[in-house]
Amino acid sequence: MSESFGEALRRLRGNRSVRDVARLAACGKTHVSDLENDKRKPTRAIAAALDQALHAGGELLARADIRPGSSPLDQADTLQQGLHQTLAAGPLTDASLDEWKYTVARHGRATRYRAEGELLPELLADFTDLRLVLAHRHPPPARKRLTIAVAQMSGLMALTLLKLGDSRSRAWWRTGRAAAAAADDRSTLSWMYAQEAYQLYYGGDLEGAVEVAARAQQLAGALPCVGPALAAPLEARALAVLGQRDGAVKALGRAEVALERLPEADRIASAFGYSESQLRFHSGNALTHLGDVERAAEQQERALELYPLRDHTDRALIALDQAIGSAIRGDAAGAAAQATTTIVDLPEEHRSALIIYRAREVAATVPEARTVPEVRALREVLALPLGERDRSAH
C-alpha cells in the first residue's frame, strides 16, 4: 500500500490516454489528471467507476479510502473493508448461503453460554455484513434464504437486548416478524412470536404473553417445529402467574407433546432449538407459581441434571425458582440465602437484567421478613451496582 491512489491509477492506466480512461469512467479528463497527480481525493463512486474501467479488481476502491500518512494497520483495515464490500456485491453462491446458515446457527448456540455483552458486538458485525449482501439483487430462492437469516438474526438481537434489559428489543421483534412474513416461512414466524412472548412475560404483560404464545402455536399448525415447543410452556407459566390452573396444566400438556414431536436436530442447546432441560425448567417454574412446590422441585432437579454447567443463565434462573419454592414453604431465610448465593456466585458478565429481575421476585415473596438477616442481605445485594456485589459477599 506504499502507492498513492494517483500513482496506482497512473500505473493501471498504462498506455491508455487520460481521455480514453475518462470516457470509459464517464468523467472529465481534467478530473482523471487531477486524481493521477493526487490533487484531489477520489470519491467512492469515481473510484468504483475507474476500477471497473481499468479492470482493477477492487484495488482502486481499496485505495480510495486510504488517508495520507495512515498507519499500515489502518491501511489493512481499509483494504479489508473495501474487499469485503466488493465481495458482498458479487454473485451469491450456494456456499455463501451455507456460510450464512452456519453463522446464524453459531450465534444461536452461543446464546446458551456466552454473556450478552460479549455476544452483541459480534452479532452487530455479522448483521452489518448480512445487510450488505441483502442490499443487492438475488434470485428469489436465494433471497428467501437471506430473508430468513435476517429474521433469525433479528430474533437473536431482540433476545440479547432483552437479557440486557434494553427496551429496544421490542423494535427488533417487529423487524424479525416482518422478515419472517416476507419470506413466507411459518416455522420462523412461529419461532419469532414464541420468543417475543418471553419479552412480554418478563415485562409483566401476562395477558399479552398468553396471546402471543397462542399465536405462535396457531401459526405452526401441524408443523413439528420449535415455535410451539417454546410457546406452550411460556403460556403455561403466564397462566400460572395469573392463577389459571386448568389453563396452565393444559398448556404444559401441549408442551410435552410439542417436544415429543420435535425432530432430534431441533432438540439442541440453541436459541433456535428446544430441549428437555428447558421444558423441565419451564415446567418447574409454572408449577412453582401454581404452588405445587413438590412437583416443581422434581422438575427443577431433573433440569439441573440435564443442563451443562456453562449454561449460566438458565441454571441461575432454576436456582431462583427453587428459592421461591422455599419461600412458599415458609423458609424466608433459606429462600433469601439461596437467591443471594446465586447472584454472588454467578460470573459478573452473566448477571443480566433478567437475573436481577427474577432475584427481586424472590425478595418480593417475603416482604414480611425484612428483618431476617438473610432477607436483609439479599435486599442489600440487589440495591448495589453490579460491580459492587462481589464485595458485599465477603
Side-chain angles (χ1 to χ4, degrees):
M1 278 292 182
S2 57
E3 280 184 311
S4 67
F5 181 89
E7 290 168 339
L9 175 58
R10 192 180 304 114
R11 170 174 56 80
L12 290 165
R13 178 167 64 83
N15 295 327
R16 300 180 186 86
S17 69
V18 171
R19 184 187 300 277
D20 286 343
V21 171
R23 178 176 54 78
L24 289 170
C27 64
K29 181 178 73 171
T30 303
H31 196 157
V32 174
S33 181
D34 286 347
L35 288 171
E36 280 197 358
N37 292 295
D38 293 317
K39 292 183 178 180
R40 67 167 74 189
K41 181 174 173 58
T43 64
R44 283 195 63 79
I46 193 64
L50 288 166
D51 195 280
Q52 183 175 5
L54 297 174
H55 305 289
E59 181 181 350
L60 290 177
L61 261 176
R63 293 178 184 277
D65 292 330
I66 297 293
R67 297 190 304 275
S70 60
S71 72
L73 290 176
D74 286 340
Q75 293 179 32
D77 284 343
T78 303
L79 174 61
Q80 182 272 324
Q81 292 164 10
L83 288 171
H84 198 78
Q85 291 177 8
T86 300
L87 290 169
L92 197 63
T93 65
D94 287 341
S96 300
L97 290 168
D98 288 342
E99 277 297 298
W100 277 115
K101 182 178 180 179
Y102 170 76
T103 297
V104 173
R106 179 170 57 85
H107 284 305
R109 291 189 294 271
T111 61
R112 303 306 306 171
Y113 62 91
R114 293 195 64 190
E116 293 74 31
E118 294 177 358
L119 188 57
L120 183 58
E122 295 181 17
L123 273 175
L124 287 169
D126 283 331
F127 215 154
T128 300
D129 291 348
L130 180 56
R131 183 182 179 184
L132 274 176
V133 175
L134 193 70
H136 301 283
R137 289 188 176 183
H138 303 289
R143 190 163 190 86
K144 177 171 182 172
R145 289 181 64 181
L146 286 175
T147 306
I148 291 172
V150 168
Q152 293 172 326
M153 289 287 278
S154 297
L156 292 178
M157 284 289 296
L159 281 173
T160 302
L161 292 169
L162 166 61
K163 292 178 181 178
L164 289 170
D166 195 309
S167 62
R168 281 171 286 197
S169 55
R170 295 180 181 273
W172 282 103
W173 295 124
R174 292 196 299 274
T175 299
R177 281 190 275 106
D184 195 21
D185 190 292
R186 276 198 299 148
S187 63
T188 301
L189 189 56
S190 171
W191 176 82
M192 287 296 308
Y193 270 106
Q195 293 286 15
E196 187 176 1
Y198 283 77
Q199 168 99 48
L200 298 170
Y201 176 80
Y202 288 117
D205 183 1
L206 299 176
E207 290 83 357
V210 170
E211 179 179 344
V212 172
R215 172 67 171 162
Q217 295 169 78
Q218 176 192 27
L219 279 167
L223 285 174
C225 56
V226 173
L230 270 170
L234 189 279
E235 181 184 1
R237 295 167 70 187
L239 290 171
V241 177
L242 290 168
Q244 299 182 30
R245 173 176 288 273
D246 290 345
V249 170
K250 289 178 181 177
L252 285 177
R254 290 198 301 276
E256 294 283 353
V257 172
L259 180 62
E260 288 175 5
R261 297 183 67 239
L262 201 60
E264 196 64 34
D266 290 330
R267 300 187 191 191
I268 54 174
S270 166
F272 302 116
Y274 196 75
S275 62
E276 185 189 352
S277 57
Q278 290 171 281
L279 179 55
R280 300 304 152 222
F281 157 38
H282 295 152
S283 297
N285 177 266
L287 292 167
T288 296
H289 285 299
L290 290 175
D292 194 345
V293 293
E294 299 305 324
R295 287 182 60 208
E298 294 173 3
Q299 296 289 310
Q300 291 154 357
E301 288 299 327
R302 177 58 179 159
L304 290 173
E305 289 175 6
L306 294 169
Y307 270 114
L309 293 177
R310 67 177 183 170
D311 200 322
H312 297 286
T313 297
D314 281 6
R315 291 184 70 90
L317 291 171
I318 292 167
L320 293 173
D321 280 345
Q322 290 175 320
I324 292 175
S326 295
I328 292 173
R329 292 188 188 96
D331 184 5
Q338 181 166 8
T340 301
T341 300
T342 299
I343 296 171
V344 171
D345 287 351
L346 198 61
E348 187 175 333
E349 65 272 18
H350 288 281
R351 296 175 193 164
S352 65
L354 177 57
I355 296 294
I356 303 308
Y357 166 80
R358 294 296 299 281
R360 286 176 177 151
E361 278 192 332
V362 178
T365 60
V366 287
E368 75 287 348
R370 295 190 182 196
T371 58
V372 174
E374 291 85 354
V375 175
R376 191 165 60 248
L378 173 60
R379 291 179 177 277
E380 289 173 358
V381 167
L382 292 173
L384 290 176
L386 284 175
E388 296 181 30
R389 291 195 179 109
D390 288 332
R391 293 194 292 274
S392 73
H394 298 299

